[in-house]
Amino acid sequence: MVDVKNKSAAVGDNERFEELGRGCYAYSADGCSNTGVIIGERGVLIVDGQASPELAEKVLSKIRDITDKPVKQLVLTHFHADHSLGSPAFEPGEIVASDLTRRMMDTRGKEEIRLSRERSAELFAGLPANGEVVEPTMTIASSMTIDLGGLDVRLMHLGRGHTMGDIVVWVPASSVIFSGDLVQKSAAPYCGDAHLADWPRALDRISAFRPNALMPGRGRSALGAQAVATAIETTRDFVTTLRDAAAACVDQGLGLKDTFHAVKDALVPQFGQREDFDFHLPLNVARAYDEALGLDQPQVWTRERHADLRDALKGALAAGEPEEETVAPVEEAAPEAEPATENSTSVAPADSEGTELVSDNDFAASLSQAPEEEESGDDEPFDFRRTMPLKSAAMRKRLLQKTKRAAQRAKRFWKRPAKARPGLVTILDQVVIPARPAPGRDVIFAG
């Protein structure tokens, strides 16, 4: 999920099409997610398909400048609309995603499109009014190798992170990795659908490949081993600081608005100038707050829930931070009721008719688990109203010091060798795929 923070730069301006390694290219432009291009002897593989067919056509024009080979596969690194809705314009032979991404598309895809069009109207301006979720034609559970002809491409699910179903694309012969939104080089990560406790482990597994180039979810690519390592570690610092600061606030019984202030104070010194920092911060804090309260699965972001969040943080968003633009909602048919499935992870949004503006504690209470997920028992439920307001600057200062110390401890932990981290199981040997796959296993020939 992205937004155009610099309103003076139009979406799609300042296009860049840079070579990352043999047969590997990255397309980036202002306000857009990145698209990877891998060219083999038999055809082309695309990594992420842009937010609209109009933006995808810009990528195609760059590709046609260097090859006329057909697009054999298009890989979706995750389910977000800004990475997927332009995919049909490439006319790929297959659209590939993880099994978990497919599940998230089924349960969250429609709401993701509705909210994305409202929050980032300019980015999705070229999307047809009836734009639907782009579903994969093939899914993978963990890994797959694609032979493009003279170039093997490996797709891998390395664990939960930016979303539950992230895929990375690794080209070993070129030492290039396409990380999707698991890694950001210059932008602030979006964590609204994240698993913050698991994300650092996924970054460890990316580091284990020792890539010489990395295309992040948006912005310029990292070229050179040192630049790649810096991008990964900076992403780790953001995620762990967000997670630990929110956890410290929850431990002290703070409400959502006070947590927002404290987390922002912890993040601003290192990340405050990054693209989209202010835009993503409310959703990032809400997710970190949820996770600290023990909610493992991110709640579905609907337009109504997003409006409730802004109401809960009213007064916390400082002057100069982006305000929601008034955008006329796209007319769409009322969604038909879908039967609940056994694997469904979505939570139906509460009816918002007749409700008043909510406080931050009301919003926090709305994030509790769905009835079917609640555990039965006689334990008293957590009272979200038992919060300690930050009544003085001194209290704010003490909390900030505590969150900074927690972030520093986390940073030192992740700098240790993997074997020296207590409680962390080294599984990299299960992740790194052999140089040549066994005949007949995990191989798709693109011819």
Side-chain angles (χ1 to χ4, degrees):
M1 188 177 292
V2 302
D3 179 65
V4 185
K5 182 179 179 181
N6 181 3
K7 298 298 182 182
S8 63
V11 168
D13 283 356
N14 299 318
E15 294 177 280
R16 297 174 292 272
F17 193 68
E18 52 190 336
E19 186 172 6
L20 307 181
R22 181 171 68 90
C24 299
Y25 302 85
Y27 174 91
S28 60
D30 290 346
C32 300
S33 298
N34 290 346
T35 293
V37 179
I38 305 172
I39 302 174
E41 295 173 0
R42 295 193 178 101
V44 178
L45 182 144
I46 301 295
V47 182
D48 287 331
Q50 288 293 323
S52 69
E54 179 181 331
L55 293 170
E57 289 292 344
K58 292 188 174 186
V59 184
L60 270 173
S61 68
K62 298 292 184 182
I63 296 173
R64 293 308 171 217
D65 288 341
I66 57 177
T67 184
D68 59 357
K69 294 174 182 175
V71 175
K72 294 290 188 177
Q73 290 90 13
L74 188 148
V75 178
L76 298 177
T77 59
H78 60 288
F79 80 98
H80 286 153
D82 59 300
H83 288 256
S84 62
L85 296 187
S87 300
F90 291 97
E91 299 182 351
E94 296 280 1
I95 298 178
V96 186
S98 70
D99 292 341
L100 294 173
T101 290
R102 174 60 180 265
R103 186 201 298 183
M104 296 188 82
M105 287 178 170
D106 291 342
T107 58
R108 302 165 182 257
K110 292 181 180 179
E111 292 295 344
E112 160 71 11
I113 294 174
R114 292 176 68 222
L115 180 59
S116 295
R117 297 185 79 149
E118 182 177 279
R119 296 185 79 211
S120 307
E122 186 180 358
L123 177 63
F124 294 93
L127 187 69
N130 60 348
E132 294 288 338
V133 176
V134 175
E135 297 185 351
T137 60
M138 175 186 297
T139 62
I140 63 172
S142 59
S143 67
M144 179 172 69
T145 299
I146 297 175
D147 183 355
L148 279 180
L151 210 57
D152 284 349
V153 180
R154 297 174 186 170
L155 317 182
M156 294 167 290
H157 173 57
L158 302 182
R160 304 190 304 183
H162 173 66
T163 70
M164 180 170 62
D166 300 299
I167 281 180
V168 301
V169 179
W170 168 239
V171 186
S174 305
S175 192
V176 174
I177 198 161
F178 300 84
S179 69
D181 281 338
L182 276 169
V183 179
Q184 296 291 1
K185 179 173 179 282
S186 58
Y190 170 67
C191 309
D193 298 301
H195 295 266
L196 299 171
D198 297 339
W199 197 330
R201 288 191 286 273
L203 297 177
D204 277 344
R205 295 161 193 167
I206 292 174
S207 296
F209 292 102
R210 298 181 179 178
N212 287 326
L214 178 148
M215 187 193 81
R218 64 176 315 191
R220 287 189 177 276
S221 297
L223 303 178
Q226 184 56 51
V228 171
T230 299
I232 292 172
E233 290 309 307
T234 302
T235 303
R236 186 196 311 280
D237 286 347
F238 184 96
V239 170
T240 55
T241 302
L242 171 67
R243 180 195 67 198
D244 294 344
C249 293
V250 170
D251 286 345
Q252 293 198 10
L254 301 186
L256 181 64
K257 184 183 290 188
D258 291 331
T259 298
F260 177 86
H261 283 301
V263 172
K264 182 175 182 179
D265 287 345
L267 289 170
V268 160
Q270 186 176 358
F271 304 104
Q273 298 305 311
R274 285 182 164 250
E275 186 179 3
D276 287 337
F277 175 81
D278 289 326
F279 182 74
H280 291 325
L281 187 62
L283 279 73
N284 287 353
V285 173
R287 173 55 194 151
Y289 191 77
D290 279 0
E291 192 165 306
L293 288 171
L295 299 179
D296 179 65
Q297 289 298 325
Q299 297 291 307
V300 179
W301 282 108
T302 64
R303 290 189 297 194
E304 296 76 19
R305 182 168 179 259
H306 182 250
D308 285 348
L309 173 62
R310 292 191 64 82
D311 290 339
L313 296 179
K314 186 161 290 186
L317 302 180
E321 292 187 1
E323 295 293 336
E324 289 297 302
E325 298 179 0
T326 303
V327 179
V330 178
E331 294 186 6
E332 51 191 21
E336 297 180 2
E338 297 181 2
T341 60
E342 189 176 9
N343 294 328
S344 175
T345 60
S346 64
V347 179
D351 186 2
S352 60
E353 289 187 10
T355 60
E356 298 178 354
L357 298 183
V358 296
S359 68
D360 70 317
N361 291 328
D362 292 330
F363 179 79
S366 77
L367 306 184
S368 58
Q369 291 174 313
E372 61 269 21
E373 295 177 341
E374 293 178 353
E375 297 180 359
S376 59
D378 298 329
D379 293 340
E380 180 184 357
F382 181 81
D383 183 1
F384 289 99
R385 299 183 184 279
R386 291 181 301 178
T387 59
M388 179 182 67
L390 294 178
K391 296 181 179 179
S392 68
M395 294 177 67
R396 286 278 299 278
K397 184 176 180 180
R398 287 197 297 273
L399 177 60
L400 176 59
Q401 290 171 343
K402 180 174 180 179
T403 57
K404 284 183 175 178
R405 287 196 296 271
Q408 289 169 354
R409 288 196 299 272
K411 188 173 182 179
R412 288 195 297 271
F413 175 85
W414 286 108
K415 283 186 175 180
R416 299 179 194 173
K419 293 182 180 178
R421 298 174 190 157
L424 182 68
V425 179
T426 303
I427 65 169
L428 295 178
D429 57 330
Q430 300 177 23
V431 173
V432 180
I433 300 176
R436 295 294 300 177
R441 292 192 62 189
D442 283 348
V443 179
I444 290 182
F445 291 96

